[in-house]
Each structure stands twice: as C-alpha cells, then as structure tokens.
Amino acid sequence: MMRKLDSYRSIESVLHSSDFQPALHIRDSRPLLDGCVLTLTGQEHRERRRLERPLFERSALEFYEHQTFKSSLQIAFQQAEAQRDEAGRPQVDLLWLTRMTLVPVTAAVVGLDGVDNEAAVIHLEDISRRLGEGASVEWSNRNHQEVMEEAMEAKDDLLVNFYNLSLERRRDLVTRWKSGDIEERDLPTDLLTLALREYFDDFDDDLWLRESLFFVVASANTTTHATPHVFNEIIKWRDEHPEESHLLEQEVFVRHAVDEALRLHGPVPALLRRALKNTDAIAGHSFLADDDIGCMLGPANTDQEIYGAQSAIFDPHRPEVLGRRAAHGLSFGSGAHICSGRPLAIGLPSPRDGGPEVIGVLPRLISELLSRGARLDPENLPTTRNDTKAERYASYPLIFETWPK
Ligand code: HEM
C-alpha cells in the first residue's frame, strides 16, 4: 500500500531525509533503469553526481544552449517547412518540435554522435519516446509488460545505432589522452567520456547504457511533456491581459512565466520513495521500514500554506514575490536527487562578468515561439492523452504568423 503525501513541507522533508530512497526503479521499470543515478543512495549517489557535475557547469550549458540547441532549432524549422497544411500554412506540433530540439542537446550531453541530421534526430527521437513510455510505465493505463517489451527493444536500438560507435570513439580518445598523444582539453565533456576517464579498465558497458538512456528519458521526455502546458498557460494569460502582453518580450519575464507554469504542470506527477528504516517526526508523520510513499507534486505545488489562496491560478508575477526557490514548486524535485538538468531546462542566474546568459532551453524555446507569432490552429485544436494518469497532450498543433526565413 502506498501512502500519499501532498503538503509541500512534508514532501520537502522526506526528499531531504537520508531515511528514504527513490523507489521508481523497484517496480516495473527496473530492467530499464537499474543502477542509474536516480536509483543510487548515499556515497554511491554522491560519487555519481560528482562524476556528472561537469556536464552542468556554466561553460557546458553555454555550449548546449547557444550552439547545439540553436542549430537543432534550425533543423527542426527546416523540416517543418515541408509540413504545410492544405492552405499552405507551416504546421508544427509543439511536442514534435520540443523533441526535435531537445534530442540533439541530450545527445551532446551523453556523447552520442551523429545526431546532427534530420534522419538521425528522428530516429533518436523515436527511441527516446519509446524509452520514455517504459520509464514512466507506473503511470501507464496500458499493459505494463507490453510497454516494457517495447522499451527494451528501444534500448537495443539505442545500443546498436548510437551507443556502440560513440563509445568506441571515446574509448579511442581516452586511450590517446592516457598515452599522451592528445591533451585533456581535446577530450569532449560528455557523460560517456567522463565515465571512461574514471572507470576505463573496468567499464561496465550495460550500466552506462542504462545511465545514458536515463539521461535521454530524463531530459527530452520531461521537457516535451512540459512545453505545451507552459505555452498554453502563457498564451491564455496573454489573451486575458493584453495590456501586459509586452512583458513577454522580456527574457526575465518569460523565465518567471515558465517557472510559474512548471509549478502548475510539472511533467512528473509524483516522486516515489521507500522508507529505509522506522522513522518518526518527519513533518508530523511516522513511517515504518519499507513503507512506500508517493510524494504528490500537484497538491504540493498548489499548497495554500506556501502559495496562498490563489495557489491554483497562473500568475507570472508570482515568482517576483516568491523568489527562485519555490517559484517552480517541487517540479524538479528537492534534496539529494534534485534534477541535475534543471539549469539546462530553466537556466542559471545572470553571470557576474557579463558573459553569455544561460536562460535555459525551455524559456528560449517559448521566446522563439512567441517571437514567431505561434498560436493555436482553431481548425486543429490540441488533444490530450487518456492512456496515462499523467496530464499529457497527445498533440499540440501550432500555426505561425511570422515564419522564419
Ligand atoms: C522541464 C524539464 C525537467 C523536469 C521537470 C525534470 C524533473 C526532474 C525530477 C522531478 C527529478 C527528481 C526525481 C526524484 O527525485 O525522484 C529529476 C531528476 C533528474 N533529472 Fe530532470 N527534469 C527535467 C529536465 C532534465 C534535463 C534536461 C536533464 C538532463 C539533461 C535531466 C536530468 C535529470 C537527472 C540526471 C536526474 C537524476 C538526479 C539524481 O537522481 O541525482 N532532467 N528531474
């Protein structure tokens, strides 16, 4: 039996306590996710986070956002050129666009080569979608075994078509660096290279394949499910507040609006934890060893104790008052397992030295859409999914008033 927690403070206390471990992988998705960072605890978890830290440092984030993301956006818009409707208007589905732009960024983070052309992006995009269904099988209304079989096939697809070759290239580079043929600065900063540098002689191919696929899922799927909700809240608010719509031209306001929308529509419905021992006095609750706990993010993120009586209303001014910490609620988790990709998704504070801003791929994508006059197509409205308990769109078609040259 799962105990559900729904107040912000009790969930935050559980997520910050070392008496609980993440428990998603203990269930049906185990074969896919076993050993990945989200399943680890204590020292092992700290070690993995340390190994992966360089992936989310400012210089790496600048590269993903200003190089990889921009070029993948260009590829996606080129591809969309060919997808005009009967009236000749460019049509883009926002779920598709988000995946097309995020998948190459994830490939750069993991170190998967060759994801720089339409066909490869579409292939990895398809793998990521199938893996995502497996990783979130707990919320699926479909037959769980069937979902997992499809996800395991996607894992093989990733292995054969992307992982093996990328790993071999990096093994070769790390060998050349170890023997002094190349400098450290010639090595790429990506997950596979960092892992090879640390564990070259006893490298576990399948473990790092699972870590890689977790990154693919954690990155592209969460962002893809979140983006239509974020866009939807923002355009609804703009229509209701035409006198304030100019604010959306400001980067900082878009960032606040994205935080506020993520608070209301985090793509992860609940964080699962298991008690490691008998514990009491966690925000007034007591737990027995092996108790399963569902930390329900929807109720926590609208908890009136934190967000006031209007907690369920989208108000992009709210983050100005709240400050960054609670602005997006617990949508990126909290405590030891807080999302490592958060700065990639929603950016870093402005640099003190005036260097390039890292505002995050989600605010950047939303700003791109707004500046191109993206709006809903009244003849082809979004549809939602009914094969999952999570709040997800099946399609979100957009038309554009200003199409890029
Ligand atoms: C809107 C976008 C995203 C949302 C809402 C999100 C949400 C989350 C949440 C809720 C967790 C914690 C799970 C738990 O404690 O049980 C998490 C963990 C994680 N996320 Fe994200 N995520 C997003 C984007 C990304 C991106 C872009 C990446 C990587 C490129 C990423 C990588 C990770 C990793 C590696 C973890 C595991 C951290 C650990 O266990 O220590 N995420 N994410």
Side-chain angles (χ1 to χ4, degrees), residues 37-38 45 49 218-219 222-223 267 273 331-333 337 339-341 344:
V37 57
L38 185 55
H45 178 249
R49 288 285 291 221
S219 163
T222 46
T223 316
R273 293 294 187 268
S331 291
F332 289 92
H337 288 275
C339 176
S340 349
L344 177 58

Side-chain angles (χ1 to χ4, degrees), residues 198-349:
E198 185 115 346
Y199 302 110
F200 193 79
D201 292 323
D202 44 5
F203 191 82
D204 180 341
D205 279 34
D206 198 59
L207 170 68
W208 291 99
L209 173 61
R210 291 196 301 279
E211 186 76 340
S212 303
L213 75 81
F214 174 69
F215 266 64
V216 170
V217 169
S219 163
N221 284 292
T222 46
T223 316
T224 303
H225 295 307
T227 312
H229 286 291
V230 172
F231 183 76
N232 212 42
E233 285 290 7
I234 291 177
I235 54 166
K236 243 173 42 199
W237 175 86
R238 187 185 58 186
D239 291 349
E240 287 160 11
H241 301 83
E243 71 295 349
E244 288 194 281
S245 62
H246 63 279
L247 291 175
L248 288 167
E249 287 158 25
Q250 298 169 12
E251 223 165 68
V252 62
F253 191 77
V254 173
R255 291 181 73 173
H256 286 161
V258 169
D259 275 337
E260 172 72 348
L262 283 174
R263 178 179 71 82
L264 294 175
H265 306 281
V268 183
L271 305 182
L272 305 183
R273 293 294 187 268
R274 179 168 284 181
L276 292 167
K277 56 178 188 173
N278 296 353
T279 315
D280 28 58
I282 292 277
H285 298 267
S286 53
F287 301 92
L288 296 176
D290 293 335
D291 269 358
D292 280 325
I293 301 146
C295 300
M296 309 312 290
L297 298 189
N301 284 351
T302 48
D303 189 337
Q304 296 197 355
E305 203 189 311
I306 309 286
Y307 299 102
Q310 303 292 312
S311 62
I313 307 238
F314 174 80
D315 173 7
H317 292 291
R318 191 191 304 270
E320 292 160 19
V321 189
L322 273 179
R324 201 87 216 269
R325 194 166 151 258
H328 42 253
L330 296 170
S331 291
F332 289 92
S334 193
H337 288 275
I338 191 162
C339 176
S340 349
R342 183 172 62 164
L344 177 58
I346 57 164
L348 289 172

Side-chain angles (χ1 to χ4, degrees), residues 106-178:
T106 312
V109 175
V110 174
L112 300 173
D113 294 330
V115 191
D116 52 1
N117 63 77
E118 246 171 68
V121 175
I122 290 170
H123 189 175
L124 190 54
E125 191 266 340
D126 180 55
I127 292 177
S128 126
R129 192 186 42 74
R130 288 182 285 150
L131 290 172
E133 293 302 305
S136 57
V137 65
E138 323 300 333
W139 316 117
S140 180
N141 295 334
R142 291 176 54 208
N143 177 301
H144 285 198
Q145 198 184 337
E146 206 175 276
V147 173
M148 284 309 295
E149 277 165 17
E150 286 168 17
M152 294 308 276
E153 275 171 29
K155 180 185 169 201
D156 282 345
D157 204 347
L158 181 70
L159 175 75
V160 174
N161 290 297
F162 294 98
Y163 186 77
N164 278 340
L165 200 61
S166 306
L167 186 63
E168 271 332 295
R169 287 212 187 98
R170 279 155 187 76
R171 219 190 282 275
D172 181 49
L173 281 174
V174 173
T175 308
R176 287 166 58 201
W177 166 61
K178 278 173 172 280

Side-chain angles (χ1 to χ4, degrees), residues 3 35 41 44 46 48 90 96 99 115-116 119 144 150 160 179 219 222 229 264 305 308 336 365 389 399:
R3 278 180 59 188
T41 49
E44 226 186 335
R46 282 192 290 279
R48 185 72 62 83
W96 175 87
R99 276 190 208 278
V115 191
D116 52 1
H144 285 198
E150 286 168 17
V160 174
S179 61
S219 163
T222 46
H229 286 291
L264 294 175
E305 203 189 311
L365 184 58
K389 292 174 201 71
I399 50 177

